[in-house]
Structures are given as structure tokens and as C-alpha cells.
Amino acid sequence: MVSFQCQDSKGIFEDATFPFLQLQIGIAILLTGIFNVLLGHLDQIKYVSSAFAGIAVGIIGPFLGSTKYFQAIAENSEWLGLVELISFITLTCFSFLVGVKTDMNMVVNARKTTYIIGFSTFIFPLLVNAVLSVVIMKTITMENELSDSLKFISLAVSTTSFYDTACAVNDMNLLNSEIGRLALAISIITGLFSWGFAFGLTLIAEFMAMKRKLLIISVISKFALLIFVLFIVRPVVSWMNRKTPEGKTLREGYVSVIISTVLGVAFYSEFVGQHGMFGPLMLGLVVPVGTPVGIAVQKKLDCFVTYVLMPTIYIVAGYKVQKFESKLRNWVIVEFMIFFACFSKIIAVMLSSLYCQFPIQDSFLLGLILNCAGIFYLIFCISMDREKFIDQPTYTYMLLTSILITMVCTPIVKFFYDPSSRYTSYKRQTIQNSSVKEELRILACVYNQENVPSILNFLEATNPTKDSTVCIYILHLVELIGRAASVLVRHKQKKKKITRSQSRNTSEKIINAFNHFAEQNPGFSIGQAYTAVSPIEGMHNDVCHVAMETRTHLLVIPFGELAEHPFRAINQSVLHEAPCSVGILVDHIDGVKPVVDASISSCHSVAMIFIGGPDDREALAYGMRMADDNPNLKLSVFRFTHTKLRDDKNTKKDDELINELWQTIENTVNIEYIEEALTDCADTASRIKSLEETYDFILVGRRHEDDSPILHGLDEWCVYKELGVVGDLFATSSFQGGFSLLVMQQ
């Protein structure tokens, strides 16, 4: 019998190094959350909180634990080596995720002005800081270590990382704003120039240091990696995407192959003399954004890497911030270099932006955004410290100063830039103020395919005529998943209708359904179709931007019935900032209808509840337009008044529109007007509920007078504030019949 005996060896578990690592990571995660809460009120981005957490762990690390044993582990140099090992694995996965989230189409589709600003932002600070470093070395007496570090300092502070900018813009909730999209486009162009410049310097260094034979082998090895990624990995990823049906999850086997390839490519990158981040980043760039592969990889890795592994990088950064004897001259030189670099970058952005005719304030704020540091800047500083390109005091100066600059820039940007400010000076488009003979422009917002049938039902009831056609604009709203930057896609108009088999993605299916509807219903036309991919928090900016760009009279957006539905937050923001009238469509029709080739049933009976106010007047104006010269539709207008009549400015405007309605009724038979005097809110609720079983489509206004006697008290029971008290009564109805509700806001 063979017996096995464990040898007495000290591993990461035996000497408690790994448990201590777990303790450090846990504290870093906890401190990051605390700093996020505290600094979030000061408009600080997450990088600042994470950096402070890493520094705090680095300071309190040696004092963790109540026993001498833990303190001995913290002082052991092998402990930091373990953290650095895990941080390297983190960088491998993180760089791949960054590549997956990066949309290279931003480079292809960038405008000429973006290239001008991007190139200026790269070359001007680099040249200025290179010249400045030479002048300082020639004119000021300093230590040799600092003198050798100046050129690396000038390189580090002159570059701009796309991912750092994307994180900063996302934390400031500006991803789908005009300045946010421009900052991302500029940063990705600047980042490509920076990567190309660094790669060129590496080749030059190898050419100067290596023998010819080794140099040839090194160049061939690098091109072999490029060929492998482009001609082997990319076709395989495309094949995986084709094999994964829309809406389905990527197979576990595919995900395992991808992750194994990432680790292998990282090893090969280090083997051929490149940083381990280079290969995984290149691998991620060939994965098309928003595809099943990209989404699956992000869902599998993003949360674990970002919230569990990423703190190790900040811990390493924090441990390198140590006590040292600071020399005033060295500190002044480094700080002058850093702040001059930031100033030169702002000047470069402003001059090139002004040349491209951008507003001066936006140009200045754009420069501040591009000066915000992030995780890639931190990694660059750690790498320079590890390779002894900079000394430890210089590293500390660079890290702390980057945090300070970021802390100053972000609140200034958030204070002076408001994406909704461009809507305030815009003249609101309304149905009431538009001519009956004018083309009615409607923006239909769609969250998913299930919204399409109810919107088509609503559109059919709109009743276009030869003199008053309806132009439909389509906006498909998609949550940002699998990419770092938001996009607003303007779909090209296709002369040939897309068949069902050709409609692969959801946007194409939705657009095809609206095109089919327009072909089958004369008087309707499709103006333009858009797809907006953005985070939930800023999705309303895309809605308002498209509404302003298309000059629509009415914006129709579906209602999210669940109490915690994310659509509700979007709808509330749209109501607050929209540059036109807004209609929230609530669908109480049973059953799920197919999107393509849907059988659309006409709305024969429509009720409009008129209590008073601008929203009710807008709803009535739309109802009158629906009933105009449409014998197949019957409109019933119910005007609810209090037994005690009121006489104010709003009441006079209401009476003017009602008089106009009377003139219309004289020439038509499909409109009836019913006026009822009610006593209190209970009487109002009872009367409103009685209309549910009678009508197919109901129009109501959202806002009413706060002191209205017939509505007073109903707001206390209101569940959905975005629908108003009257709309809420219908939305919370238990009636299982088939009616739709449109809540209008002027």
C-alpha cells in the first residue's frame, strides 16, 4: 500500500495570506460604496471613490487585525505580490471587456470636425509638454531620477483614454448628450493615436536595442497575433453570433472558448514583449458591440471583474502611496508639468472646437471632460512605477493630482451643462396650435415589440385626410448593454419592404411593422426611423432630441404598468422636458398580438373627458382632428363641471374651444357633446368608471387645477402620478375589457 503524506509547506492558505487578501478586498469594496454615497452628493465620479478606497486600504492595511500575526502578514512583501498577481488577471479580463464595449464604428462614422479636434487634442499637448520637459531639464537643476522621469510624465498626462472618458461621461449622465457623444468620439480617436504612438515607440526601442535576427522574430510574432485575431478569432465570433438566435443566451461552451482564448492571448502578448493588456484588448475590439457574444461576455464577466477583482488594482495603487520625504523643488516641477498639461489640453480642445464653430462654453467643458482621469491612467502610473520609469514620490504626486483635477472638473461640467437647456428656448409644438390642414407629425416611441400593436391601433384612429396627412417618426429605445458609448442610429429608408425572414433584429421588425401599416393605410407616411441605445437614466434625452429634430406635434410613448418599471422613470422625464405635446398610451386590450402583419381593428367609439385646463384642451383638439370627416368614428365629449360655476382665465379658454367644437358639431353627425354637473370627487370617480365598458378609446388630459372641487382628494389615491388623477383611475381599473387610453400633456 502506498501512503501519501502532506509536507509541511507554507502556501497562501497556510500563512493566511489569501484570507488576508479576502479581507482587504472586502474592506476596499465597502469603502468604495461608502465613498460613492458620500462623494456622489458632490457630483464626483466613481473613479474618485475607488481611488480613495484603495489609498485608504493602503494606509490602514498594516494595522488591520488585532493580532501580531495579521500585522506580520501585512508587512510581508509576498502579500503584495499576490495582490499584484490577481490584479494582472483582472487587467486581462478588464482590457478584453473594454475592447468588447468599444464601438469602432465611432471612428468610421466620425465627422471631419471630430477628427480635427481629436488629432489636435493628441498632438498639441504632446508636443508642448515634450518641449516643456526639455526646457525644464536644461534650465533647472534637479535629481537624475526626476530628470529621467519628465519625458514619461509628459507622455502620461498628455494621453486620453476612451474608456476613462466613457466612465466619466456615464457617471455624469451625459452619455447620450451632444457634448457626451462628442467627448467619446474625440477620446476614441485620441486614444487610437496614443496607442499607435506608444506602439511605434516600442518598435523603435526594440530596433535600437535588439539584434537584427531577434528584431525580425519580434516583429513577426506581433503580426502573427494580429493575423490570428483578424482571420481566425473574428470569423469564429461571427459564426457564434449567427448560430445564436435573437433573444437567446450564448451557449456556455462558446463562452468558455472565448475566455480561454483571452487568457491565451494575454500570455502570448507577454511572451512576445507586449503588455498583457494588448492582446485581450485587440481581441475584444473584433467582437461586434451589442451582439450575442458581446452581451453574453459582459453579463458573465462585467459584474465580477468590476466589483470583485477591480478593487485589487486600486489596492495596489494605494499601497504604492507611501510616506516619503517630499522635496519642494521636485513637487513644484511635477505639479507644474501636470497642470500645464491639463491647461494645454483644454487650450487644444477649445481652439480646435472654436475653429469647428462650437460654442465657447461647450468647448471649455469638453476640455474639462477630456481631463478627467480613470482606471487606465491609474494603470499607466502603476506600470511606470513598476518599470522604474518614475520614482515613488513622482507616482504619488501624479496619482493624487489626477484625483484632485477630476474632483474639480466633474462638478463644473455638471453645473454648467444641462442637456435639457436646448429645449427651453425651443417653441413647443402642439396639436391645438397647428392648422387642421397641416401635416401632423407624430413620434412613436417603442420599448419592445409588444408596444407596436397598441401604437398602430392609436395611429389608425388618427384619421389622416388628403389635406391633412400624418407623418410617423419611429424611435426604438434600447437599454445600453454590451457597449461603453450610447448611439443614436438613423435608419436608411429602404425602397423594398423587408420580409419577415430578412428582419433579424428587433429594430428591423418594428420598422417593418410600421412600414407595412403605412402601405396598407393611405394618408400615412414614414418620415424617419431611429434606434437609440442608451442607459435608462438618460434615455429621455434621446426622445426629446429626436422630437425637436423632427419638429413633431405629438410624442406617443407606452406606459409601464409595473410600479417599479424602468419605463416609468423615462416617461416622467419626458413629460418634464419634451419640446412638444406628449401622449402616454395605456393599453387595456387583452391578448398579445403579433407585430408583423398584425390585424389592426378600428377604434369605432372614442370618449374624451373634458374637465378644463391646457392638457384637456390639447386632448380635445386631437379628438376633434380624429373625428373630422370620419364617418366610421364616433366621438363623445363629456364635459364635467362643478355645480358652482367658476370664471377665470382658463375657463374662458375652455369655453372658446368648446364653442369651436359646437361649430364643428353643426356640420357633422359623428360628434356628440354631453355636459354634466358633478358635486365632488366621489361623483367624478363613479362617472368616469361608468365609461370603461362603453368606449374603445378614451382621451384625457394629464394635469388639472389643484383646487378643482370635483377632483379634490383623488390625488391622495393616485398610484401613477405621471398619468394624472383621471388617467390613473383608468390605468388602475380592474375592468378586463378592450379599451385603450391616451393621457395627453400639452
Side-chain angles (χ1 to χ4, degrees):
M1 178 180 292
V2 181
S3 62
F4 296 92
Q5 184 176 1
C6 295
Q7 297 180 353
D8 185 14
S9 60
K10 289 187 177 182
I12 61 173
F13 289 98
E14 284 79 358
D15 62 5
T17 302
F18 190 75
F20 187 71
L21 170 65
Q22 293 176 307
L23 180 63
Q24 296 277 67
I25 294 176
I27 293 175
I29 295 173
L30 178 62
L31 290 177
T32 301
I34 293 174
F35 282 126
N36 269 330
V37 173
L38 297 178
L39 299 178
H41 298 290
L42 302 176
D43 294 329
Q44 298 300 323
I45 62 176
K46 295 177 182 177
Y47 164 73
V48 175
S49 304
S50 300
F52 275 145
I55 294 172
V57 172
I59 293 174
I60 67 175
F63 304 101
L64 287 174
S66 58
T67 64
K68 296 181 180 180
Y69 190 56
F70 266 106
Q71 294 177 9
I73 296 171
E75 295 171 357
N76 188 357
S77 60
E78 295 179 0
W79 137 253
L80 190 57
L82 177 61
V83 180
E84 290 180 338
L85 175 63
I86 296 179
S87 68
F88 179 79
I89 298 174
T90 304
L91 287 180
T92 301
C93 299
F94 174 70
S95 57
F96 173 65
L97 284 173
V98 171
V100 169
K101 295 178 182 180
T102 303
D103 188 2
M104 295 305 294
N105 289 327
M106 295 178 64
V107 179
V108 178
N109 299 328
R111 295 177 294 180
K112 181 181 177 181
T113 54
T114 307
Y115 278 102
I116 293 174
I117 301 173
F119 181 74
S120 303
T121 306
F122 164 73
I123 196 66
F124 183 75
L126 184 64
L127 293 177
V128 169
N129 289 303
V131 172
L132 179 64
S133 62
V134 172
V135 171
I136 292 176
M137 286 188 291
K138 296 292 185 180
T139 57
I140 301 177
T141 304
M142 68 186 78
E143 299 175 356
N144 292 333
E145 290 183 354
L146 181 59
S147 177
D148 295 337
S149 301
L150 288 183
K151 54 181 177 292
F152 297 104
I153 296 173
S154 63
L155 178 62
V157 297
S158 300
T159 57
T160 302
S161 168
F162 164 73
Y163 192 76
D164 290 350
T165 304
C167 290
V169 170
N170 182 42
D171 291 344
M172 290 187 283
N173 198 20
L174 297 176
L175 266 185
N176 51 359
S177 65
E178 184 177 356
I179 195 173
R181 286 197 172 100
L182 183 59
L184 293 180
I186 292 171
S187 64
I188 195 172
I189 293 172
T190 307
L192 288 176
F193 281 124
S194 301
W195 275 93
F197 182 74
F199 187 73
L201 289 179
T202 304
L203 290 179
I204 293 173
E206 291 180 352
F207 180 80
M208 305 248 335
M210 289 184 178
K211 295 181 180 180
R212 180 174 298 179
K213 185 177 179 179
L214 291 177
L215 179 64
I216 294 174
I217 294 175
S218 176
V219 173
I220 292 175
S221 301
K222 292 178 176 62
F223 276 101
L225 176 61
L226 181 64
I227 292 171
F228 173 74
V229 171
L230 292 179
F231 297 101
I232 296 179
V233 175
R234 187 175 182 180
V236 171
V237 170
S238 299
W239 176 80
M240 290 179 179
N241 283 323
R242 290 194 302 269
K243 285 292 184 180
T244 305
E246 184 189 359
K248 299 296 182 180
T249 306
L250 194 69
R251 294 181 182 178
E252 293 290 337
Y254 294 168
V255 177
S256 300
V257 170
I258 292 171
I259 295 176
S260 300
T261 305
V262 171
L263 296 176
V265 167
F267 170 77
Y268 182 83
S269 299
E270 288 284 342
F271 182 75
V272 299
Q274 289 291 325
H275 196 284
M277 294 176 59
F278 182 75
L281 180 64
M282 185 188 300
L283 195 67
L285 289 175
V286 301
V287 178
V289 293
T291 57
V293 171
I295 294 174
V297 168
Q298 183 183 1
K299 287 182 177 179
K300 295 288 184 181
L301 294 178
D302 197 20
C303 182
F304 182 71
V305 171
T306 303
Y307 296 103
V308 179
L309 296 182
M310 192 66 71
T312 58
I313 298 178
Y314 291 102
I315 290 173
V316 171
Y319 264 93
K320 292 180 181 295
V321 178
Q322 301 171 1
K323 295 181 180 179
F324 57 88
E325 184 179 351
S326 179
K327 297 181 180 180
L328 181 61
R329 175 176 295 184
N330 294 353
W331 178 78
V332 171
I333 292 173
V334 174
E335 293 297 324
F336 179 75
M337 286 283 297
I338 296 173
F339 280 101
F340 191 83
C342 294
F343 180 74
S344 63
K345 188 179 293 186
I346 293 175
I347 294 298
V349 173
M350 290 189 65
L351 291 178
S352 54
S353 299
L354 293 175
Y355 173 77
C356 298
Q357 299 181 344
F358 285 99
I360 186 170
Q361 178 175 311
D362 290 358
S363 303
F364 174 70
L365 297 179
L366 186 61
L368 294 182
I369 292 175
L370 294 175
N371 269 312
C372 292
I375 183 65
F376 270 98
Y377 177 84
L378 186 65
I379 293 169
F380 198 6
C381 292
I382 294 174
S383 300
M384 289 193 298
D385 178 70
R386 183 183 294 119
E387 299 296 332
K388 305 301 181 183
F389 292 148
I390 58 176
D391 56 11
Q392 197 275 328
T394 302
Y395 166 83
T396 303
Y397 298 149
M398 293 179 65
L399 175 60
L400 296 180
T401 307
S402 74
I403 298 174
L404 176 62
I405 292 173
T406 304
M407 290 183 68
V408 172
C409 289
T410 50
I412 295 176
V413 173
K414 292 201 71 174
F415 181 80
F416 285 101
Y417 187 79
D418 181 11
S420 63
S421 60
R422 52 186 167 169
Y423 314 131
T424 56
S425 59
Y426 177 79
K427 183 180 179 181
R428 286 178 171 264
Q429 298 285 328
T430 65
I431 297 175
Q432 185 181 355
N433 296 329
S434 63
S435 172
V436 179
K437 304 302 180 183
E438 179 184 354
E439 179 187 62
L440 181 63
R441 294 181 294 275
I442 298 177
L443 174 61
C445 300
V446 182
Y447 292 119
N448 49 54
Q449 298 183 58
E450 288 73 20
N451 300 145
V452 175
S454 59
I455 293 179
L456 296 184
N457 280 332
F458 153 75
L459 289 173
E460 191 180 36
T462 304
N463 181 34
T465 61
K466 292 182 179 180
D467 298 328
S468 178
T469 58
V470 175
C471 184
I472 308 169
Y473 295 90
I474 309 156
L475 177 59
H476 181 207
L477 299 168
V478 182
E479 184 180 1
L480 182 70
I481 299 176
R483 61 173 75 223
S486 63
V487 292
L488 180 62
V489 180
R490 185 193 297 265
H491 295 278
K492 295 181 180 179
Q493 294 290 340
K494 298 183 179 180
K495 295 181 180 180
K496 184 178 179 181
K497 184 172 72 73
I498 304 173
T499 62
R500 190 179 304 181
S501 61
Q502 293 172 323
S503 301
R504 172 169 173 78
N505 61 52
T506 304
S507 292
E508 288 178 347
K509 292 179 180 179
I510 291 172
I511 296 168
N512 193 33
F514 279 92
N515 284 329
H516 178 73
F517 173 81
E519 290 176 0
Q520 299 297 320
N521 295 270
F524 289 95
S525 63
I526 303 297
Q528 182 65 56
Y530 302 85
T531 296
V533 184
S534 59
I536 293 292
E537 296 80 8
M539 199 172 280
H540 63 280
N541 287 326
D542 286 321
V543 177
C544 296
H545 171 74
V546 173
M548 186 178 69
E549 185 180 80
T550 55
R551 298 185 62 81
T552 53
H553 299 95
L554 176 63
L555 186 162
V556 179
I557 193 164
F559 171 65
E561 295 188 12
L562 298 178
E564 300 298 329
H565 208 296
F567 297 166
R568 292 191 59 199
I570 302 172
N571 294 351
Q572 291 168 0
S573 299
V574 169
L575 288 169
H576 181 66
E577 298 180 5
C580 62
S581 295
V582 180
I584 299 181
L585 187 61
V586 184
D587 191 9
H588 266 299
I589 299 177
D590 295 336
V592 179
K593 300 179 180 180
V595 176
V596 183
D597 298 330
S599 177
I600 308 299
S601 59
S602 299
C603 297
H604 295 289
S605 55
V606 178
M608 192 276 138
I609 300 176
F610 190 92
I611 297 176
D615 293 350
D616 279 12
R617 293 195 292 270
E618 185 75 358
L620 179 57
Y622 180 69
M624 293 167 61
R625 190 155 188 157
M626 292 170 62
D628 183 38
D629 195 23
N630 186 3
N632 296 322
L633 184 143
K634 183 178 180 181
L635 173 65
S636 300
V637 179
F638 294 88
R639 186 180 188 185
F640 295 155
T641 60
H642 191 246
T643 50
K644 296 181 180 180
L645 298 178
R646 302 174 61 188
D647 186 16
D648 55 19
K649 185 178 180 180
N650 269 328
T651 304
K652 292 180 180 179
K653 291 183 177 179
D654 295 340
D655 292 338
E656 290 176 2
L657 190 59
I658 294 297
N659 292 333
E660 183 180 337
L661 174 65
W662 271 111
Q663 296 175 7
T664 305
I665 292 176
E666 293 177 357
N667 301 321
T668 184
V669 296
N670 63 329
I671 302 179
E672 64 173 343
Y673 174 77
I674 304 166
E675 186 169 326
E676 299 182 19
L678 304 178
T679 55
D680 54 19
C681 64
D683 195 10
T684 304
S686 176
R687 187 67 185 93
I688 287 175
K689 289 289 186 180
S690 66
L691 303 176
E692 295 176 348
E693 303 180 16
T694 310
Y695 296 93
D696 304 316
F697 198 91
I698 300 174
L699 289 167
V700 300
R702 175 176 174 263
R703 298 166 299 186
H704 300 91
E705 294 290 339
D706 295 334
D707 57 346
S708 174
I710 61 175
L711 296 177
H712 183 69
L714 289 178
D715 56 336
E716 298 178 4
W717 302 94
C718 187
V719 178
Y720 304 111
K721 300 293 185 181
E722 65 270 26
L723 299 181
V725 292
V726 178
D728 180 76
L729 288 173
F730 287 109
T732 55
S733 171
S734 59
F735 177 61
Q736 298 299 319
F739 75 93
S740 294
L741 171 73
L742 186 69
V743 181
M744 299 279 288
Q745 174 180 290
Q746 189 178 54

